[in-house]
Amino acid sequence: MFSKQGSAAEIGFENKNLSLKKTKAGGVFQLLLILLGAVVLFFNRRDSSERVWARLPTLNDYQTRYPEKTDDANSIRCIHCNSDQTWEYGLESLMDHRRECVCLACGHRLWRKEQESLSIQ
């Protein structure tokens, strides 16, 4: 009925179809894993920045803990490098009420503060 060559060709063709189906399903599965990983990383990063911010001392705590670094209300020095150059920014955006202050010389985070909403003029 069928020669050995014909049946081998049919079997090979069927195997190719099966492997193609496995590849499509595997590709979809891999794509779903990548998307899930991206979502987890996005939310994990967001939560971690809030956790780091919450662990920083407030400005009053910083001044109380390191009185030698506080000359007056306008000049507060870094505890790591003794620099008085600091930079304050919002945690997630320019207008964010959660602010943190960083030393410009060494890059260490120094303190945090919550600010009332910035007025738009």
Side-chain angles (χ1 to χ4, degrees), residues 34 61 72:
I34 291 171
D61 291 341
D72 57 12

Side-chain angles (χ1 to χ4, degrees), residues 57-107:
T58 63
L59 178 57
N60 291 335
D61 291 341
Y62 187 86
Q63 290 172 329
T64 304
R65 193 180 301 169
Y66 308 107
E68 70 278 1
K69 300 296 182 182
T70 307
D71 299 334
D72 57 12
N74 295 331
S75 177
I76 302 173
R77 298 188 168 277
C78 174
I79 59 171
H80 302 284
C81 69
N82 207 30
S83 172
D84 64 347
Q85 296 179 342
T86 58
W87 179 45
E88 181 184 309
Y89 60 92
L91 185 62
E92 291 187 10
S93 69
L94 180 64
M95 301 296 284
D96 197 344
H97 69 280
R98 297 165 298 176
R99 317 289 293 171
E100 70 180 21
C101 190
V102 175
C103 176
L104 284 175
C106 67

Side-chain angles (χ1 to χ4, degrees), residues 9-96:
E10 289 174 6
I11 292 171
F13 184 73
E14 289 173 0
N15 285 341
K16 286 181 183 177
N17 284 340
L18 287 175
S19 65
L20 184 61
K21 289 179 184 176
K22 287 180 184 177
T23 303
K24 285 182 182 177
V28 170
F29 182 69
Q30 288 175 351
L31 182 62
L32 287 174
L33 281 177
I34 291 171
L35 289 175
L36 179 66
V39 168
V40 167
L41 285 175
F42 173 77
F43 285 109
N44 189 26
R45 182 192 168 278
R46 181 179 174 155
D47 289 343
S48 68
S49 64
E50 289 179 21
R51 276 186 256 136
V52 168
W53 179 81
R55 282 189 293 224
L56 287 174
T58 63
L59 178 57
N60 291 335
D61 291 341
Y62 187 86
Q63 290 172 329
T64 304
R65 193 180 301 169
Y66 308 107
E68 70 278 1
K69 300 296 182 182
T70 307
D71 299 334
D72 57 12
N74 295 331
S75 177
I76 302 173
R77 298 188 168 277
C78 174
I79 59 171
H80 302 284
C81 69
N82 207 30
S83 172
D84 64 347
Q85 296 179 342
T86 58
W87 179 45
E88 181 184 309
Y89 60 92
L91 185 62
E92 291 187 10
S93 69
L94 180 64
M95 301 296 284
D96 197 344

